[in-house]
């Protein structure tokens, strides 16, 4: 984490001076490439591929269109900011549908919800202080969504603990069945063999 936070001082200097001076962008681009490669390396390829490729393609199209079709910073900011607004709202609301449907928080970790809320609150404050509506706007929605996620977590956390107990009992019963099968036949069940 410190490796990727280290350039912050360089970025601060570049922003303060309004020039990149003699700094090369190559190490930063290669760091991004490295992160993308290792992210790809660690992902379960088939399912994630269907999810990640459209997102990357949409990002690439957004970057290309905003770079070549909008020649002023203001138009580019409105275009990319509008897309970012929709993406942010989708990001903050996405885990809640499954929680409400399943009445379980098993797949919505508490710390993800907590830090989403805190991050959204900080970005909202930053956007308001900097008078940047495209940063503040999605977080006006993200803060209440984060609070809603935490409320849902409080409501459904008991059902999650009950589901964990049932899962543990199922696993224990599964082990008993396997053990009994092995005692009777002298070998493990077909589903257990590789």
């Amino acid at each position: 984490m410190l490796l990727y936070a280290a350039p912050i001082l360089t970025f601060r200097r570049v922003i303060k001076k309004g020039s990149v001076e003699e700094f090369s962008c190559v190490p930063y681009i290669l760091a991004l490439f490295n992160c993308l490669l290792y992210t790809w390396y660690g992902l379960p390829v088939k399912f994630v591929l269907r999810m990640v490729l459209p997102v990357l393609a949409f990002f690439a199209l957004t970057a290309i269109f905003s770079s070549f079709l909008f020649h002023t910073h203001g138009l580019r900011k409105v275009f990319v900011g509008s897309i970012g607004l929709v993406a942010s709202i989708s990001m903050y609301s996405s885990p809640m549908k499954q929680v409400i449907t399943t009445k379980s928080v098993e797949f919505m970790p508490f710390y993800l919800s907590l830090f989403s809320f805190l991050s959204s609150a900080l970005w909202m404050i930053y956007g308001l202080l900097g008078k940047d509506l495209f940063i503040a706007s999605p977080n006006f929605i993200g803060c209440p969504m984060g609070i809603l996620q935490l409320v849902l977590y409080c409501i459904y956390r008991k059902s999650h603990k009950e589901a964990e107990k049932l899962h543990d009992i199922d696993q224990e019963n599964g082990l008993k069945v396997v053990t009994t099968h092995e005692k009777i036949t002298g070998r493990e069940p077909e589903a257990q063999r590789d």
Side-chain angles (χ1 to χ4, degrees):
M1 196 162 104
L2 292 175
L3 172 66
Y4 297 107
I8 291 173
L9 296 175
T10 304
F11 295 157
R12 180 183 285 167
R13 177 177 166 178
V14 166
I15 291 168
K16 189 183 257 185
K17 292 195 174 194
S19 169
V20 294
E21 299 174 308
E22 297 297 316
F23 288 109
S24 172
C25 64
V26 174
Y28 307 106
I29 293 170
L30 290 177
L32 173 64
F33 180 65
N34 186 37
C35 288
L36 290 173
L37 276 177
Y38 278 103
T39 300
W40 181 252
Y41 171 78
L43 294 175
V45 178
K46 286 184 185 179
F47 174 73
V48 174
L49 185 64
R50 287 183 277 172
M51 300 288 285
V52 170
L53 285 181
V55 169
L56 291 176
F58 189 68
F59 169 74
L61 288 172
T62 302
I64 290 168
F65 285 142
S66 67
S67 296
F68 295 112
L69 294 180
F70 302 108
H71 298 291
T72 65
H73 180 70
L75 286 174
R76 191 175 307 127
K77 191 174 179 180
V78 168
F79 177 71
V80 176
S82 299
I83 292 172
L85 177 66
V86 172
S88 293
I89 292 169
S90 301
M91 176 187 74
Y92 287 118
S93 63
S94 64
M96 292 188 287
K97 180 183 176 195
Q98 185 177 17
V99 170
I100 293 168
T101 304
T102 62
K103 298 187 183 329
S104 171
V105 293
E106 181 178 5
F107 300 108
M108 187 179 76
F110 173 75
Y111 288 112
L112 178 63
S113 298
L114 177 64
F115 291 128
S116 290
F117 165 69
L118 293 174
S119 173
S120 183
L122 291 173
W123 278 110
M124 183 180 68
I125 292 167
Y126 177 80
L128 290 173
L129 292 175
K131 297 181 179 132
D132 190 331
L133 288 178
F134 288 112
I135 291 177
S137 298
N139 295 297
F140 276 130
I141 296 168
C143 277
M145 293 277 204
I147 292 169
L148 184 58
Q149 284 182 16
L150 293 170
V151 168
L152 285 173
Y153 192 89
C154 290
I155 292 170
Y156 293 120
R157 75 173 186 259
K158 289 181 182 175
S159 63
H160 171 63
K161 289 178 182 174
E162 290 170 8
E164 280 181 347
K165 285 179 186 174
L166 287 175
H167 179 71
D168 291 343
I169 291 169
D170 286 345
Q171 281 188 330
E172 187 177 301
N173 287 338
L175 289 175
K176 287 178 184 174
V177 170
V178 170
T179 306
T180 306
H181 185 273
E182 288 173 351
K183 284 181 183 175
I184 294 170
T185 63
R187 59 184 186 163
E188 60 186 38
E190 294 291 326
Q192 297 291 320
R193 285 189 229 150
D194 290 327

